[in-house]
Amino acid sequence: MRSTRERALWSLLAALLLAAAVAAWWTSDRWWPQAGPWTEQAWQKITRPVPESLPPGSRPAATQARPAQAGASQPLAPQPRKCVRDGRATYTDQPCPKGSQELPVDGAVTSLPPAK
């Protein structure tokens, strides 16, 4: 059996933990808008591994155009490319100019210039 002092200590610790949980729930409308996106991002990083962490046999192919699905009404947009020359990056959907190095696009590209 636990001593009276030890039981009191554990009871106090449980009461403090319960009070902290109630306070967090009560004030969640203040801090959740800032913490929500961060927790979603952390959850995605935990549950969705990056391609570099996968075994070599199951890694996706390097940036390549996906084939059009049967019955698709429009062709797929060209894949974006990141061209680096003299430390300056340029994003395009065309082949990189001579003298520049093509690197994989990290993250998402939100817009490309209209095709000419």
Side-chain angles (χ1 to χ4, degrees), residues 7-104:
R7 280 186 289 173
L9 178 68
W10 283 112
S11 297
L12 178 65
L13 184 63
L16 287 174
L17 184 62
L18 181 63
V22 168
W25 174 78
W26 190 265
T27 62
S28 65
D29 58 334
R30 291 187 202 159
W31 55 265
W32 186 250
Q34 290 83 23
W38 178 85
T39 56
E40 289 175 14
Q41 183 182 18
W43 182 251
Q44 285 180 351
K45 284 185 179 181
I46 292 170
T47 59
R48 293 172 184 88
V50 293
E52 293 81 27
S53 67
L54 296 173
S58 63
R59 289 184 185 164
T63 348
Q64 59 183 356
R66 292 170 284 179
Q69 297 176 353
S73 60
Q74 294 180 350
L76 290 175
Q79 294 296 313
R81 300 175 186 215
K82 179 179 181 180
C83 306
V84 178
R85 184 176 188 179
D86 299 329
R88 187 171 179 198
T90 305
Y91 295 89
T92 181
D93 59 348
Q94 304 295 318
C96 290
K98 291 184 179 180
S100 63
Q101 178 185 9
E102 184 173 341
L103 298 175

